[in-house]
């Protein structure tokens, strides 16, 4: 069995083909590892220079004095067999083969890839790639992909059969401050395949959610077994590309993997407990929900809203996605009725009819979350309500009827209030082991999209729309139900 | 079971006749309408009397496709003379037949489903379930699972189709016996997994008789010799 851990937690790395030419892979990888803050040793290997970016360069792997855990190869395809022979001599067991020009290019490339793979297998070398974008492990400060993305540390680990798609997902994660654990661009999967990565991420204690972008797998049954095993331990979220006939032709020509019919893939994935999504943005949205909140243990949803329209939209979305909005139980009804103005909705969704009182909203939220009648709670509008009020004052300030100093003070008050409110949501999720989905009344670019609270494993995600919140809730419930059925054997 | 398949392949058949297809799926535990093969008019009448009227007569051969369009299917025959007449008509068309299939007439309640087996190059044998009858291809309301199917898999694939409400109580008909359906789907999965000789299976329609699902037509397509060798 391959020691996958050493690929992601190496103590020493060599980059074969290191160069100071900024636009070559030998530079991308080397600079990314160093600038990304990797703490271990990094050796540049090249015959053409004595130093690379000020680091002593080695003419070959075998010339390096200390041990080498992981080798990145960026030199042309024709040179790869020679470098692998050096790896054997040096005792290297882990290789990331960035080099392209293998099975993705035609017959000669297929032959070369087979030669490379059988040599690697015979010598017990685990190879990522060829034709890979590289790997990341935020926990080890290891950023070793072609693009210099710095997604923050977290638990979502990514397997991407397309480096570009994987890269884009990490870019989004960086923008939205969503924590990423590991990344691997699986490339042509000459030696290690998707199934190996999903099995490893399934066992990896630093990974909370596995995110996959798949175009095709070579051995469907092995893949299913690996995905099923991982799926019982943690959620596995996947996008299978090639939904349409045109899409699947493009996929086949892209990686050389044969893409089976979409419907079969979809069924196989679902049967293995994998949560399916249709768009790359959904991959991250859903993964982040799983990573941030406890699972709903049922499909009964309580809704608290600042306005009626949103409540109706949310109720429709829930109904269409197989979620229920049970009426308020007596105790909750009585409590709310004693507190809220007489014109409140008197039902679920609890509609505060535009009363922007944070105390009333909190009380309503507490009553719903603590009630046995609900498995999850959606909050519409309290988050971002401060911004609504702030904008009124902004307009007044523009007209000269409010001072800018006071406006700044007000901004700070609202920011703090919102931060406390989001902390409160996280505390409730911990206390009742139920997910809570706040949807913002107003959110602007640059606003916090995910709220962290020191000492808590849970996070509050600020959703932009009710439909996005319901979509996440549906997928989380789907996963809970799948796993629960298989654990208990009950329908 | 193996004998049935190997003999057919040995004779160069590309498919099993309806009679043999039904025998095969019966062995896998799939509920099938009662029927028998008649090689003479007298046999046809005797079988009909044994099954009880009304009956259905169908020309039966492994090469016969589009039976209905060719006038090879005679429905709801109520008397001895109707059966005899239908037998003569079917055999008089000049097609090469194994015989004429005499099948019990099941009124059903118009709820028709389809069950199938296909082979995927990556995943191997896959079981299909969905809305059957004449709208099968137009609506494509079907779900798939990779064999072997667990009971849970079968339950989930049944619940996955859009028209799943048809399986519950429907316009005065009782809910379909789910346990029976689950067992049937699991059986088809095992059949595909254990027999590389089978390339595909079509069971359409599967009709509902009271609460029991019953296959009234079935077609087993055989794999070309050797082709099935690699499948795990």
């Amino acid at each position: 069995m391959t020691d996958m851990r050493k690929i992601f937690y190496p103590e020493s790395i060599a980059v074969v083909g290191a160069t100071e030419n900024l636009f070559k892979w030998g530079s991308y990888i080397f600079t990314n590892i160093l600038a990304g803050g990797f703490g271990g040793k990094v050796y540049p290997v090249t015959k053409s220079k004595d130093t690379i970016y000020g680091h002593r360069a080695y003419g070959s792997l075998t010339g390096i004095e200390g041990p080498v855990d992981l080798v990145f190869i960026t030199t042309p395809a024709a040179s790869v067999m020679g470098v692998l022979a050096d790896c054997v001599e040096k005792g290297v067991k882990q290789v990331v083969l960035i080099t392209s020009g293998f099975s993705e290019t035609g017959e000669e490339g297929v032959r070369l890839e087979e030669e490379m793979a059988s040599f690697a297998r015979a010598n017990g070398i685990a190879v990522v790639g060829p034709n890979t974008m590289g790997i990341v492990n935020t926990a080890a400060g290891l950023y070793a992909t072609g693009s210099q993305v710095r997604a923050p540390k977290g638990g979502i680990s990514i397997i991407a059969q397309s480096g570009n798609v994987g890269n884009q997902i990490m870019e989004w994660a960086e923008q939205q401050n969503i924590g990423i654990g590991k990344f691997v661009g699986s490339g042509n999967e000459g030696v290690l395949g998707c199934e190996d990565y999903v099995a490893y991420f399934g066992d990896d204690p630093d990974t909370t959610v596995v995110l996959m972008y798949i175009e095709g797998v070579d051995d469907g049954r092995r893949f299913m077994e690996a995905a099923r095993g991982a799926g019982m331990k943690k959620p596995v979220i996947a996008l299978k590309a090639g939904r349409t006939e045109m899409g699947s032709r493009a996929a086949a020509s892209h990686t050389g993997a044969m893409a089976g019919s979409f419907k079969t893939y979809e069924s196989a994935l679902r049967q293995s407990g994998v949560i399916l999504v249709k768009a790359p943005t959904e991959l991250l949205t859903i993964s982040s929900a799983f990573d941030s909140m406890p699972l709903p243990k049922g499909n009964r949803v309580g809704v608290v809203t600042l306005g009626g329209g949103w409540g109706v939209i949310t109720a429709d979305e829930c109904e269409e996605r197989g979620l229920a909005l049970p009426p308020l139980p007596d105790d909750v009804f009585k409590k709310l009725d004693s507190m809220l103005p007489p014109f409140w909705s008197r039902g679920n969704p609890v509609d505060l009819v535009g009363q922007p009182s944070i105390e009333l909203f909190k009380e309503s939220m507490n009553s719903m979350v603590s009630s046995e009648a609900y498995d999850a709670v959606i909050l519409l509008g309290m988050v971002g309500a401060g911004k609504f009020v702030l904008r009124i004052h902004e307009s007044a300030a523009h007209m000269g009827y409010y001072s800018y100093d006071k406006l700044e003070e007000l901004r700070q008050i609202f920011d703090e209030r919102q931060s406390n409110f989001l902390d409160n949501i996280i505390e409730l999720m911990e206390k009742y082991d139920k997910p809570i989905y706040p949807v913002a009344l107003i959110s602007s670019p640059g606003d916090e999209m995910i709220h962290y609270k020191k000492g808590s494993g849970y996070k509050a995600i600020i959703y932009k729309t009710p439909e996005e919140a319901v979509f996440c809730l549906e997928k989380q419930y789907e996963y809970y139900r799948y796993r629960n059925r298989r654990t208990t054997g009950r329908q | 079971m193996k004998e049935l398949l190997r003999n057919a392949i040995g004779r160069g058949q590309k498919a099993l006749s309806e009679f043999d297809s039904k025998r095969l799926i019966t062995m896998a535990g799939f509920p099938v309408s009662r029927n028998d093969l008649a090689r003479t008019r007298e046999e046809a009448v005797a079988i009909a009397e044994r099954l009880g009227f009304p009956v259905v007569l169908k020309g039966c051969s492994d090469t016969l496709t589009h039976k209905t369009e060719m006038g090879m299917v005679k429905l709801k025959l109520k008397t001895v003379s109707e059966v005899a007449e239908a037998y003569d008509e079917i055999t008089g068309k000049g097609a090469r037949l194994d015989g004429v299939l005499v099948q019990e007439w099941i009124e059903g309640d118009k709820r028709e489903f389809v069950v199938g087996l296909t082979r995927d190059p990556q995943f191997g044998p896959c079981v299909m379930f969905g809305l059957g009858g004449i709208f099968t291809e137009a609506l494509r309301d079907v779900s798939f699972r990779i064999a072997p199917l667990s009971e849970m898999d079968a339950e989930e694939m049944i619940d996955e189709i859009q028209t799943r409400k048809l399986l519950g109580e429907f316009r005065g008909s009782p809910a379909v016996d789910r346990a029976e359906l689950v067992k049937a789907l699991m059986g088809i999965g095992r059949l595909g997994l254990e027999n590389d000789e089978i390339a595909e299976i079509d069971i359409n329609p599967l009709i509902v008789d009271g609460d029991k699902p019953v296959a009234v037509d079935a077609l087993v397509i055989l794999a070309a010799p050797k082709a099935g060798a690699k499948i795990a």
Side-chain angles (χ1 to χ4, degrees), chain A residues 221 270-271 485-486 491, chain B residues 123 146-147 152 156 160:
Chain A
R221 286 176 173 269
R270 192 169 286 147
Q271 196 172 349
R485 278 176 173 176
R486 265 116 192 124
Q491 282 301 305
Chain B
F123 294 98
I146 316 297
M152 216 76 83
E156 284 170 353
E160 214 173 284

Side-chain angles (χ1 to χ4, degrees), chain B residues 41 44-45 48 53 55 57 77 79-88:
Chain B
R41 186 190 306 131
V45 169
F53 292 95
V55 293
L57 262 60
L77 308 169
T79 61
V80 168
S81 62
E82 277 179 24
V83 168
E85 205 174 299
Y87 183 91
D88 290 344

Side-chain angles (χ1 to χ4, degrees), chain A residues 217-221 223-224 228 258-261 263-265 267-268 270-271 482 485-486 489-491, chain B residues 120-126 140 142-150 152-153 155-156 159-160 193 232:
Chain A
V217 297
D218 288 332
D219 186 339
R221 286 176 173 269
F223 176 78
M224 279 180 79
R228 191 180 281 144
M258 191 154 96
S261 86
K263 191 92 179 165
T264 312
Y265 265 100
S267 309
R270 192 169 286 147
Q271 196 172 349
Y482 171 89
R485 278 176 173 176
R486 265 116 192 124
R490 275 199 303 274
Q491 282 301 305
Chain B
D120 179 84
Q122 264 83 27
F123 294 98
C126 307
R140 290 173 181 266
V142 291
S143 60
F144 290 86
R145 284 297 180 275
I146 316 297
L149 271 63
S150 69
M152 216 76 83
D153 291 333
E155 290 275 4
E156 284 170 353
D159 284 333
E160 214 173 284
L193 204 62

Side-chain angles (χ1 to χ4, degrees), chain A residues 99 200 215 227 237 254 266 372 385 466 488:
Chain A
T99 309
Y200 171 66
E215 290 180 351
I237 324 297
H254 184 52
E266 198 180 45
E372 295 281 334
T488 62

Side-chain angles (χ1 to χ4, degrees), chain A residues 117-337:
Chain A
S118 59
F119 181 84
R121 282 200 191 94
N123 290 286
I125 301 175
V127 179
V128 178
N131 188 26
T132 167
M133 177 66 93
I135 62 166
V136 167
N137 178 11
T138 58
L142 176 62
Y143 292 89
T145 53
S147 69
Q148 321 280 314
V149 193
R150 297 280 184 277
K153 267 186 207 179
I156 301 169
S157 289
I158 303 170
I159 303 163
Q161 282 190 332
S162 153
N164 293 335
V165 175
N167 190 48
Q168 197 179 25
I169 290 169
M170 282 197 294
E171 292 271 7
W172 292 331
E174 187 180 338
Q175 284 164 22
Q176 298 171 41
N177 201 25
I178 295 171
I180 299 298
K182 298 177 174 66
F183 166 86
V184 57
S186 66
N188 294 358
E189 304 188 6
V191 178
L192 293 173
C194 252
E195 58 274 18
D196 299 302
Y197 301 121
V198 78
Y200 171 66
F201 287 168
D203 288 333
D204 173 31
D206 291 341
T207 295
T208 55
V209 179
V210 183
L211 182 163
M212 282 197 288
Y213 169 80
I214 309 171
E215 290 180 351
V217 297
D218 288 332
D219 186 339
R221 286 176 173 269
R222 253 194 79 205
F223 176 78
M224 279 180 79
E225 199 182 311
R228 191 180 281 144
M232 287 306 287
K233 294 173 205 146
K234 57 193 75 169
V236 180
I237 324 297
L239 185 152
K240 165 70 177 80
R243 266 206 305 283
T244 60
E245 243 179 84
M246 194 171 288
S248 62
R249 266 201 304 277
S253 59
H254 184 52
T255 61
M258 191 154 96
S261 86
F262 182 76
K263 191 92 179 165
T264 312
Y265 265 100
E266 198 180 45
S267 309
L269 290 168
R270 192 169 286 147
Q271 196 172 349
S272 314
V274 173
I275 309 298
L276 289 164
V277 298
K278 286 188 170 174
T281 48
E282 291 175 355
L283 271 174
L284 195 61
T285 304
I286 296 292
S287 297
S288 179
F290 275 107
D291 180 56
S292 305
M293 294 182 274
L295 291 174
K297 316 292 185 294
N299 71 340
R300 303 165 308 161
V301 185
V303 179
V304 182
T305 179
L306 273 188
W310 256 6
V312 179
I313 287 170
T314 307
D316 284 347
E317 282 286 332
C318 284
E319 168 79 31
E320 277 174 13
R321 294 178 179 279
L323 304 167
L325 266 73
L328 299 173
D330 278 350
D331 58 328
V332 176
F333 180 86
K334 280 190 186 124
K335 173 124 200 264
L336 294 179
D337 201 38

Side-chain angles (χ1 to χ4, degrees), chain A residues 16 32 37 50 77 84 104 172 175 220 230 235 247 267 274 276 309 311-312 329 331 346 357 372-373 385 420 451:
Chain A
V16 178
N32 201 6
D50 292 338
L84 285 180
E104 80 280 10
W172 292 331
Q175 284 164 22
S267 309
V274 173
L276 289 164
V312 179
D331 58 328
R346 310 171 80 84
S357 153
E372 295 281 334
N420 289 338
H451 181 80

Side-chain angles (χ1 to χ4, degrees), chain A residues 50-66:
Chain A
D50 292 338
T51 61
I52 294 293
Y53 297 119
H55 291 255
R56 181 191 157 189
Y58 294 80
S60 80
L61 280 172
T62 50
I64 299 169
E65 298 88 3

